[in-house]
Amino acid sequence: MSRLSALFVGRVKEPGMYADGGGLYLQVSRSGTKSWIFRYSLNGREREMGLGPQHTITLADARVMATEARRMKLSGIDPIDARKSQRQAKRLEDARAITFNQASIAYIKANRAAWKNPKHAAQWESTLTAYADPIFGDLPVAAIDTALVMKALEAIWSEKPETASRLRGRIESVLDWATARGYRTGENPARWRGHLDKMLPARAKVQAVQHHAALPYRDLPAFMSSLRVQPGIGALALEFAILTAGRTGEVIAATWDEMDLDAATWTVPKERMKAKREHKVFLGDRALAILRPLKAAARSDFVFPGNLPNKPLSNMAMLSTLKRMNRKDLTTHGFRSTFRDWAAETTDYPSEVVEMALAHVVANKVEAAYRRGDLFEKRKGLMRDWDQAATPR
């Protein structure tokens, strides 16, 4: 044992294997490089285990490593197999040590195809980048705990409750995904029920209900008179949205195969509806008057085409029209509230008819009536009256 000296190890240049004892050898190659080898026999099998280069591993270090290898051999453990297992475990640990930011990117990528709105992924990225990443984006996803989640949420819970609520739900989803993939274990620290609800006030208690800015229905004829003189496809799309009580996304993505001008109907497929149900809209005289010249000049599948070939109008086009009219106090969605107020205060149509016109989910008994078709017949009268109410005087 301990046959070699540090001086000899540093000076020797002749190629060969130089024994230190106990299975430890200094190997000098023909090119002059030096490394440490541990030779041993286990279960009748001769093996050589490299311990590292001499310029990094000193003689003293090599002896310690050889001693540890001999101890493992005496316990019936193959030192080479043990080192392989250790390295595999380290690689697995490193693979699992992804950051929260990496986990959120992977989650969004995995779910992007299932989201009906292409903007959904961008909204997820924006929320997490703005509020979660500065707190724990670079930390391992396995290290995210309640304290870190609370730190991200508390800063905006009272000031921006809607955003904070969405942030919490998105953090929870990412952490659930990470748990399912084996990147973390234990309870989800972003869980609301029975956990964060004990530490944060309910969103309803910190946020008054905020309605979309709506035009009083008595002012609608004057507004429509101003709207009709506005140039551009965005103004036509906005007027059509008002007359049909449609949502922005439903209107800008409308295609000509959804329109039956002879029957005066617009059938929105369930894939584009918020409630995932086909929605049939009766078109009044003015709505048809908007569509007919557009149909005659159509060069696109979309009723309201955008600037790019065969692409729909931008979802900001209607808001831009309102800004051009100096009506920043209004939103496109707010005209649905105008329609609802007008119907409730000036007509005798049942509320379920109005709700169906707005494509809201209603009670089962009304759904049954809708399937028989009578609500659509009633909605024809409602939409005719709305078309008249919106006509400039």
Side-chain angles (χ1 to χ4, degrees), residues 42-244:
L42 186 65
N43 299 325
R45 184 183 181 189
E46 299 292 331
R47 308 207 71 180
E48 285 190 359
M49 179 180 179
L51 301 181
Q54 180 269 333
H55 60 70
T56 301
I57 307 298
T58 66
L59 174 59
D61 292 336
R63 285 171 176 167
V64 171
M65 295 169 74
T67 299
E68 180 60 29
R70 286 193 295 270
R71 285 175 179 162
M72 282 191 281
K73 188 169 80 82
L74 285 173
S75 300
I77 300 172
D78 190 318
I80 291 178
D81 291 345
R83 184 169 66 181
K84 284 182 179 178
S85 297
Q86 195 175 40
R87 287 175 176 172
Q88 287 173 350
K90 181 63 168 61
R91 284 195 293 269
L92 182 59
E93 182 182 348
D94 290 344
R96 286 179 173 173
I98 69 170
T99 65
F100 178 84
N101 183 44
Q102 290 170 325
S104 64
I105 291 172
Y107 175 86
I108 292 169
K109 182 179 180 181
N111 288 275
R112 189 186 298 269
W115 289 331
K116 62 180 181 179
N117 189 339
K119 293 195 301 179
H120 205 49
Q123 291 167 347
W124 269 69
E125 291 169 352
S126 175
T127 304
L128 293 172
T129 299
Y131 301 108
D133 284 2
I135 307 299
F136 48 75
D138 292 331
L139 295 180
V141 70
I144 309 304
D145 58 15
T146 301
L148 289 169
V149 174
M150 285 290 291
K151 188 175 181 181
L153 295 176
E154 283 180 314
I156 59 171
W157 193 259
S158 297
E159 187 177 311
K160 301 177 180 179
E162 183 173 351
T163 299
S165 179
R166 290 177 180 172
L167 173 64
R168 186 209 61 76
R170 289 167 183 175
I171 293 173
E172 182 181 21
S173 295
V174 172
L175 295 182
D176 277 344
W177 175 90
T179 300
R181 294 296 297 268
Y183 295 126
R184 60 174 285 119
T185 58
E187 293 292 329
N188 193 320
R191 187 181 77 253
W192 176 253
R193 190 179 298 275
H195 185 53
L196 292 184
D197 63 345
K198 309 303 181 186
M199 292 177 269
L200 292 166
R203 176 179 145 190
K205 294 183 178 180
V206 295
Q207 178 186 30
V209 177
Q210 294 183 354
H211 299 286
H212 290 275
L215 183 77
Y217 63 85
R218 294 182 181 84
D219 298 339
L220 185 62
F223 174 84
M224 296 296 266
S225 180
S226 299
L227 177 60
R228 289 188 185 183
V229 299
Q230 296 298 314
I233 196 76
L236 293 174
L238 176 58
E239 187 179 0
F240 185 81
I242 295 170
L243 293 169
T244 57

